[in-house]
Amino acid sequence: MESTRIHASTSLALMMPRLLFPSRASSLLILNSLFLAVGCGTSAPEVAPRTKTFELDGVVRAVDTEKGVVSIAHEDIPDLMPPMLMDFRLEDLTLLEDVIVDDEVSGLLEVDYDDQSQITRLELVDLVVTRPAPPRPPGADPIATPSPPPTLEPGEAVPDLVMTSQNGEVLRLSELQGHVVVLTFIFTRCPQPEYCPLMDRKFGELAKRIARSPDRADQVRLLSVSFDPEYDTPEVLAEHAQRVGAQPPLWTFAVADHEALREVAAPLGLTYAPMTDQIVHSLSTSVIAPDGTLARLELGNTWTPEELYGQVRQLLDTTGP
């Protein structure tokens, strides 16, 4: 069957591992020019983002026409990410009319890098149905995405979670009772700027605000938990923590195994599916009161460090000595 071409202009993918960042080229002429410009008292020119294009091949696993999202389980993308399941939000919702579950597709990803070789944009710019899904039996029910289980309500106890910290020590969430805990879930190989890297940036800003008051910092713990135990060893987490500026005990990275994560994933609204060669997850950030109960649950990436800092201060003011 002739391939059907779909030109997809997408926003950032919603779900996500290890990036093999290209090295930054340097030029003596450019460096000299920048030196002269700064020496003359003028601002150095902004560095334009570097863009690379990668080919994507995979299978459509879900289509959400209401949200304009298509989920693709893609193959390995050399120099970008291993096989994984990712969600792409399409700006043109009419494109979803030509895509169904089990379609085999190929496409192009445009990726922008800043001068630190960090991804600033990842956009699906072209998508082709290379092999349409086989026809479904007559009378078969339409494929529907199951509803997520209910999450904890504020005031309910948060289940305990056993982890291994970046220092290689066993850490239990229950051991942090007496502190206000801000908990989020990440994995270090996540390539999406608006997912795990964004959580790192937000936690970094939150940590800076809290650290301004040593007394307050003693009463707060920020915890970034990885759900990628196959890769995120304590050594990897320690290196990542140093790279993003996390300093224990205020901000600690840890990793939990799949069995332990299942105990907290649903109650905290974390969509988490352990797979051998794919990682699928949502975003979940919780503020836990000193007594171990849930004070606030944020699903997604729209929360701000200012909002959570206000929640932390409120809890400290109401539960302080």
Side-chain angles (χ1 to χ4, degrees):
M1 181 177 293
E2 182 179 356
S3 296
T4 303
R5 177 165 292 277
I6 306 168
H7 294 284
S9 175
T10 72
S11 62
L12 292 173
L14 300 179
M15 297 189 185
M16 7 321 5
R18 175 158 174 80
L19 303 178
L20 302 180
F21 293 114
S23 60
R24 287 183 291 168
S26 61
S27 167
L28 182 60
L29 177 59
I30 293 176
L31 290 177
N32 286 338
S33 299
L34 291 176
F35 176 77
L36 291 174
V38 174
C40 293
T42 58
S43 300
E46 293 185 1
V47 178
R50 293 179 293 109
T51 302
K52 293 189 65 176
T53 302
F54 299 87
E55 295 184 0
L56 173 148
D57 293 289
V59 179
V60 175
R61 292 305 187 198
V63 178
D64 189 331
T65 55
E66 183 176 331
K67 295 181 179 179
V69 174
V70 57
S71 302
I72 301 175
H74 64 74
E75 300 174 1
D76 178 60
I77 303 177
D79 296 336
L80 184 65
M81 67 186 87
M84 59 196 304
L85 181 67
M86 300 181 69
D87 286 0
F88 298 88
R89 186 185 300 277
L90 304 181
E91 296 178 356
D92 184 358
L93 299 184
T94 62
L95 298 175
L96 295 181
E97 298 174 359
D98 300 316
V99 179
I100 63 174
V101 172
D102 292 336
D103 275 347
E104 293 184 14
V105 295
S106 65
L108 294 177
L109 287 172
E110 283 188 358
V111 182
D112 287 349
Y113 297 89
D114 62 17
D115 59 348
Q116 301 296 320
S117 293
Q118 300 296 314
I119 293 178
T120 58
R121 181 179 71 96
L122 190 154
E123 184 174 358
L124 182 64
V125 296
D126 186 65
L127 193 65
V128 177
V129 177
T130 56
R131 185 175 181 179
R136 306 193 70 220
D141 293 332
I143 299 174
T145 302
S147 300
T151 58
L152 290 177
E153 294 292 334
E156 294 183 323
V158 177
D160 200 7
L161 176 62
V162 181
M163 304 155 279
T164 302
S165 74
Q166 64 191 59
N167 297 324
E169 301 172 349
V170 176
L171 174 64
R172 290 180 174 272
L173 184 60
S174 58
E175 294 173 359
L176 300 180
Q177 287 195 13
H179 298 83
V180 174
V181 177
V182 185
L183 168 67
T184 197
F185 297 92
I186 56 88
F187 68 107
T188 64
R189 300 190 288 176
C190 177
Q192 297 291 2
E194 298 303 310
Y195 263 65
C196 304
L198 179 59
M199 295 300 102
D200 286 344
R201 294 195 297 272
K202 289 189 175 187
F203 263 47
E205 295 177 21
L206 182 59
K208 288 179 182 178
R209 287 177 174 269
I210 295 171
R212 292 172 187 168
S213 169
D215 290 341
R216 188 172 296 133
D218 287 341
Q219 303 175 68
V220 180
R221 294 293 181 262
L222 308 184
L223 191 57
S224 296
V225 178
S226 170
F227 41 75
D228 187 12
E230 289 77 16
Y231 181 83
D232 284 339
T233 63
E235 293 77 15
V236 170
L237 291 176
E239 181 180 343
H240 183 79
Q242 183 177 18
R243 185 163 58 248
V244 300
Q247 297 184 355
L250 175 56
W251 182 11
T252 301
F253 280 80
V255 61
D257 61 33
H258 301 308
E259 183 177 355
L261 282 166
R262 278 192 287 268
E263 299 297 320
V264 299
L268 294 181
L270 176 67
T271 301
Y272 169 70
M275 303 180 184
T276 302
D277 57 358
Q278 297 178 0
I279 294 180
V280 53
H281 79 98
S282 61
L283 294 175
S284 169
T285 304
S286 309
V287 181
I288 304 172
D291 63 358
T293 60
L294 182 69
R296 180 172 183 153
L297 178 61
E298 290 286 345
L299 303 181
N301 61 4
T302 59
W303 62 269
T304 67
E306 292 80 8
E307 291 172 341
L308 262 60
Y309 178 67
Q311 180 77 60
V312 168
R313 290 200 59 177
Q314 180 181 355
L315 287 170
L316 292 177
D317 291 343
T318 57
T319 60

